[in-house]
């Protein structure tokens, strides 16, 4: 742990051991490689998010997992664990809308220093599916593309993604870079436009992390201030996607309210924040104001 934390800004792979029990009570214990990830969080967090590499090290049972991201609390304290739970729920929300999304698994982690110089500690965390596995499930492959205009991606999927990002109050994403977006293309359709699949939602307003601040270029003062970062759509397109959000409203709220480890205060804060979004969808004039008049032009 000391070496991992001392070298966290480098983001270099280091040896580790992972162990866990399967449902049949059998235990798996194998060597893997881990490294810290996230530009901001390598600086700010006590333990930044980690990438677990199963395929480049002798881990015979686990190598099919390829590489998984492990999201952990940024620092000690209950507030940071609550941030993790809220971000986990965002992934689960997006899963409701499309299979073209990253699956996640909530886990309880016990960090143990192999040299015994750091106290063991437990925390919630979650694993994020490998991008290749997500793409394969959908008959796609990851595309290494830069400087791709947002409107050069699949239009229907981008409409869904942009409205979803507005729902959760997330402006921390971009396609051309790409930033917090993975581009995947269908394997059997040469001319098909890529899908821009979102991930990393800890800067969203619905999480409301105390370290999250919006870009000064956006003209908003807080991540709680929603700003639509998509391009204009027709009313018919917006009504179509709005219907999806309305149809999934009850399931979204159930995800939040059924999360036993999330505090009552945070459940109410998340649902109140979503209530504002759904009030926007209930009025055609507000839909036009936000998603057409307020849309990006460049």
């Amino acid at each position: 742990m000391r070496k991992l934390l001392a070298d966290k800004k480098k983001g270099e792979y280091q040896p580790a051991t992972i162990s866990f029990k399967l449902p049949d009570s059998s235990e798996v214990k194998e060597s893997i490689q881990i490294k810290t990830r996230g530009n901001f969080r390598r600086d700010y967090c006590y333990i930044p998010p980690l990438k677990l590499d199963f395929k480049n090290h002798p881990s015979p049972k686990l190598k099919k997992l390829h590489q998984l991201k492990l999201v952990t609390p940024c620092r000690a304290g209950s507030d940071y664990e609550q941030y993790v739970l809220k971000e986990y729920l965002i992934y689960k929300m997006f899963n409701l809308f499309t299979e073209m999304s990253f699956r996640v698994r909530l886990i309880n982690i016990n960090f143990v220093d192999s040299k015994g110089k750091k106290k063991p500690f437990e925390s919630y965390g979650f694993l994020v599916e490998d991008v290749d596995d997500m793409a394969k499930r959908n008959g796609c492959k990851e595309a290494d593309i830069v400087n791709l205009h947002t409107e050069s991606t699949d239009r229907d999927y981008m409409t869904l993604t942009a409205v979803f990002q507005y729902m959760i109050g997330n402006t921390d994403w971009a396609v051309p870079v790409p930033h917090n977006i993975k581009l995947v293309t269908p394997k059997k359709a040469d001319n098909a436009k890529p899908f821009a699949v979102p991930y990393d939602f800890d800067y969203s307003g619905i999480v409301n992390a105390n370290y999250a601040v919006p870009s000064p270029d956006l003209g908003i003062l807080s991540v709680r201030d929603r700003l639509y970062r998509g391009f204009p759509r027709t009313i018919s397109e917006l009504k179509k996607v709005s219907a999806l959000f309305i149809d999934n409203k009850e399931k979204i709220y159930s995800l939040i309210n059924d999360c036993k480890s999330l505090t009552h205060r945070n459940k109410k804060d998340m649902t109140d924040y979503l209530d504002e979004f759904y009030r926007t969808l209930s009025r055609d004039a507000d839909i036009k104001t936000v998603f057409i008049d307020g849309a990006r032009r460049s």
Side-chain angles (χ1 to χ4, degrees), residues 163 238-239 241-243 245-246 276-284 286-287 291:
V163 175
L238 292 168
K239 295 291 282 186
V241 77
S242 294
F245 282 88
I246 293 169
E276 297 175 3
F277 168 75
Y278 278 102
R279 281 194 289 271
T280 297
L281 294 191
S282 69
R283 296 185 288 262
D284 289 353
D286 289 347
I287 291 175
F291 301 112

Side-chain angles (χ1 to χ4, degrees), residues 13-20 28-34 51-68:
Y13 277 113
Q14 301 187 34
T17 300
I18 186 170
S19 62
F20 55 89
V28 175
K29 185 175 183 179
E30 293 187 357
S31 298
I32 63 170
Q33 297 273 7
I34 64 173
K51 178 172 282 189
L52 282 58
D53 189 348
F54 302 94
K55 64 182 182 179
N56 291 323
H57 208 69
S59 51
K61 292 183 180 179
L62 303 178
K63 64 181 179 180
K64 290 184 179 179
L65 293 174
H66 303 303
Q67 293 180 330
L68 299 181

